[in-house]
């Protein structure tokens, strides 16, 4: 079971990223009417830029596919790190109801990046002084 843990974590994180990215790109999920006002303001600001939400959702979709396929996993983890951090911070400060999922995503990222035998050496190498 221990040997399969990185695979399970990678598939879970990849599925969540791919599904949320695709849902955002294709407008598959309607915006809930009861969002906190500050979160609505935040989202409206991102959408007002004209490009950011599309870039974010494309990034989630592509990196989710990378995780699901197993190709370039360390690259996907590095690219997704600020995305997952922002998801956590948005839920911590603007919409606490989504905090459990944000914590799970953060734990999956931390595990894959720093504790999984397959990917942690590559990620840890980024932090070594050359």
């Amino acid at each position: 079971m221990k040997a399969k843990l990185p695979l399970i974590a990678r598939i879970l994180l990849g599925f969540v990223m791919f599904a949320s990215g695709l849902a955002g790109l294709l407008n598959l999920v309607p915006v809930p009417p009861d969002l906190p006002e500050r979160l609505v303001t935040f989202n409206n600001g991102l959408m007002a830029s004209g490009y950011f939400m599309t870039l974010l959702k494309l990034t989630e979709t592509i990196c989710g596919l990378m995780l699901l396929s197993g190709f370039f996993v360390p690259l996907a983890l590095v690219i997704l790190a600020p995305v997952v951090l922002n998801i956590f911070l948005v839920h911590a400060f603007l919409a606490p109801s989504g905090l459990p999922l944000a914590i799970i995503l953060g734990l999956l990222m931390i595990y894959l990046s720093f504790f999984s035998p397959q990917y942690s050496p590559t990620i840890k190498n980024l932090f070594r002084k050359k």
Side-chain angles (χ1 to χ4, degrees):
M1 179 64 181
K2 189 175 180 180
K4 293 188 181 197
L5 196 55
L7 175 66
I8 294 167
R10 180 174 58 82
I11 297 298
L12 282 173
L13 183 61
F15 178 75
V16 170
M17 288 292 127
F18 177 72
S20 67
L22 201 58
L25 283 173
L26 302 176
N27 294 320
L28 297 177
V29 180
V31 178
D34 59 345
L35 288 179
E37 184 180 336
R38 291 177 12 182
L39 181 58
V40 171
T41 303
F42 178 76
N43 283 339
N44 287 341
L46 293 178
M47 294 196 316
S49 71
Y51 78 94
F52 187 79
M53 288 304 278
T54 303
L55 174 65
L56 176 64
K57 294 305 176 182
L58 273 172
T59 301
E60 288 178 3
T61 304
I62 292 168
C63 289
L65 277 175
M66 290 165 70
L67 291 171
L68 288 171
S69 69
F71 291 113
F72 303 107
V73 172
L75 177 62
L77 292 172
V78 169
I79 293 170
L80 285 174
V83 174
V84 171
L85 177 61
N86 191 59
I87 290 169
F88 173 76
L89 292 173
V90 163
H91 288 293
F93 292 107
L94 302 176
S97 64
L99 201 52
L101 179 59
I103 290 170
I104 291 169
L105 291 178
L107 291 174
L108 289 171
M109 282 288 299
I110 290 168
Y111 170 72
L112 287 170
S113 298
F114 296 105
F115 298 102
S116 69
Q118 294 98 321
Y119 313 117
S120 65
T122 305
I123 301 295
K124 287 178 181 178
N125 199 34
L126 296 172
F127 296 95
R128 289 198 175 97
K129 185 177 179 181
K130 303 277 177 173

